[in-house]
Amino acid sequence: MIETGTSLGIDELHTYWACQCAPGTASPLPQDVVKTLLAGLRLNVLETLRYLHQEKPSYAQFEAWVSERNGGELKDVSLHRLRRALGGETVGAEVGNLEHIEGLTADDLAHWHEHGYVILRNAISAKAAETAEMAIYDFLGMDRDDPASWYRESLGHSIWVPLLRHPALAANRRAPRIHKAHAQLWRREDLWVTVDQGGFNPPERENWPFPGPHLHWDATLAEPHCFDAQGILYLADVDEDQGAFSCVPGFHRTLKQWLKSVPAGVKVHDHARRSLTMKPIAAKRGDMIIWHHLLPHGSSPNHAQRPRVVQYMSLRPTRFAYTEEWKS
């Protein structure tokens, strides 16, 4: 029997649960609706799918889990905004009126259109960035000033840090300047911020080689090529040789033609890694790099003396164009 109760009052959540836990009982939601739904409920995509597939909860259990993920503090105003948006109504920015918030300058926007990425300077305060930086060190059980502590592999040989809901990281997701910049790029304010993880990329050493990710796309390469944006927030100063975020500037404008040059039988990512050169992007504590998702990008080996400490996040509108077919 399929449960139909919706104590949170969001029918799409029940549909999403049914698609994952009772296949065939509901039509799948569009991808953009799923992303809005999960972002609006402060849920991480991977943790949610893992919970549903491993635990196979009842719908009541799933709603309780959603509430628990939010510390039991899902606010009525947030739920109301989400219900309205999913219902097709126009909603404003989550963080309030953006009219007088300083965002990207005309030069910044010109750089974005030319190169496909932009650095939002002082996206958050240096203090907010350092607080989030220390939260990541604490989560990893490391000492910022003790290099010997930077190489614990309790989480595996990876630069990813699965810290999702620390108050410092949550506060950064509500930074008005970040919302304003993305509103300028999307040309709309009904944005929803993802609950993504942190990152910790220490200097390479003999028993800790750089694990990647190397050059890649997180987007389908199938046409039509739609707009989307991704972001990385530097929580400490990052020099070019410090494992900086790297990309191939301007490639979003030539991707379609370049794909035609990939030899038959050669994987696109393999060809890209052999033929393209990424540029490392240095920036300061509190700066955010936003890039067009069609730019090939990745992290880079850290040859400096300090770790690269970051927070990932993306902002998307309620509904947006996307390509169903996945091609890599």
Side-chain angles (χ1 to χ4, degrees):
M1 182 175 67
I2 302 301
E3 300 172 67
T4 58
T6 56
S7 64
L8 292 177
I10 300 176
D11 294 340
E12 290 82 1
L13 184 64
H14 185 271
T15 301
Y16 178 71
W17 165 83
C19 289
Q20 301 298 327
C21 295
T25 64
S27 298
L29 296 169
Q31 293 179 30
D32 54 346
V33 172
V34 170
K35 289 183 177 180
T36 295
L37 174 68
L38 298 183
L41 292 173
R42 310 289 194 269
L43 299 176
N44 175 271
V45 175
L46 293 180
E47 71 162 349
T48 303
L49 288 173
R50 188 179 300 117
Y51 171 73
L52 291 173
H53 293 166
Q54 292 179 355
E55 302 299 328
K56 301 188 183 306
S58 67
Y59 184 64
Q61 290 172 326
F62 181 41
E63 283 202 318
W65 179 84
V66 172
S67 179
E68 184 273 331
R69 293 289 89 184
N70 283 272
E73 295 182 356
L74 273 173
K75 297 181 179 179
D76 288 341
V77 65
S78 297
L79 292 173
H80 182 59
R81 178 174 181 264
L82 180 59
R83 293 188 201 104
R84 289 175 54 218
L86 292 173
E89 295 184 41
T90 300
V91 298
E94 177 184 7
V95 296
N97 190 343
L98 297 177
E99 182 179 358
H100 300 296
I101 300 299
E102 182 182 0
L104 298 170
T105 67
D107 287 344
D108 290 335
L109 292 170
H111 189 280
W112 165 269
H113 291 300
E114 176 70 17
H115 301 288
Y117 79 92
V118 66
I119 303 175
L120 177 63
R121 303 291 182 182
N122 303 306
I124 61 173
S125 70
K127 181 178 180 181
E130 186 172 19
T131 300
E133 176 197 18
M134 295 309 301
I136 288 177
Y137 276 104
D138 290 344
F139 178 77
L140 294 173
M142 297 176 179
D143 184 335
R144 184 171 64 173
D145 299 316
D146 180 10
S149 73
W150 297 344
Y151 299 91
R152 298 178 183 176
E153 296 190 14
S154 58
L155 298 175
H157 185 201
S158 170
I159 69 170
W160 308 118
V161 180
L163 179 62
L164 301 175
R165 293 185 176 79
H166 188 282
L169 275 66
N172 292 342
R173 297 183 188 114
R174 297 189 296 272
R177 293 206 66 224
I178 291 176
H179 283 255
K180 177 60 177 279
H182 283 81
Q184 291 174 278
L185 298 177
W186 281 101
R187 299 181 182 179
R188 51 194 295 182
E189 295 186 357
D190 62 324
L191 302 179
W192 306 84
V193 61
T194 55
V195 176
D196 282 334
Q197 56 193 336
F200 185 86
N201 185 6
E204 278 196 306
R205 66 179 189 180
E206 184 176 356
N207 63 345
W208 208 94
F210 172 61
H214 303 280
L215 181 150
H216 67 284
W217 287 270
D218 297 305
T220 178
L221 298 180
E223 294 187 42
H225 294 153
C226 302
F227 176 79
D228 201 351
Q230 297 171 259
I232 184 170
L233 186 61
Y234 282 0
L235 303 180
D237 292 353
V238 178
D239 293 328
E240 288 187 0
D241 65 347
Q242 197 178 337
F245 165 83
S246 303
C247 64
V248 183
F251 201 79
H252 62 306
R253 296 183 289 106
T254 59
L255 172 63
K256 185 174 182 177
Q257 190 63 34
W258 179 86
L259 287 171
K260 298 177 182 178
S261 73
V262 179
V266 176
K267 293 182 178 179
V268 171
H269 280 73
D270 290 342
H271 185 61
R273 288 168 185 165
R274 287 195 294 264
S275 63
L276 300 179
T277 300
M278 294 195 298
K279 174 185 177 180
I281 309 299
K284 297 296 184 180
R285 183 194 302 274
D287 292 346
M288 184 178 197
I289 301 168
I290 308 170
W291 72 95
H292 194 297
H293 76 150
L294 293 180
L295 287 190
H297 62 277
S299 296
S300 56
N302 187 343
H303 299 305
Q305 302 299 311
R306 302 289 307 177
R308 185 198 78 171
V309 189
V310 301
Q311 179 180 353
Y312 299 92
M313 70 177 79
S314 299
L315 288 82
R316 299 182 180 93
T318 305
R319 302 299 299 264
F320 54 89
Y322 62 92
T323 300
E324 288 273 6
E325 178 188 358
W326 183 264
K327 181 179 180 181
S328 61

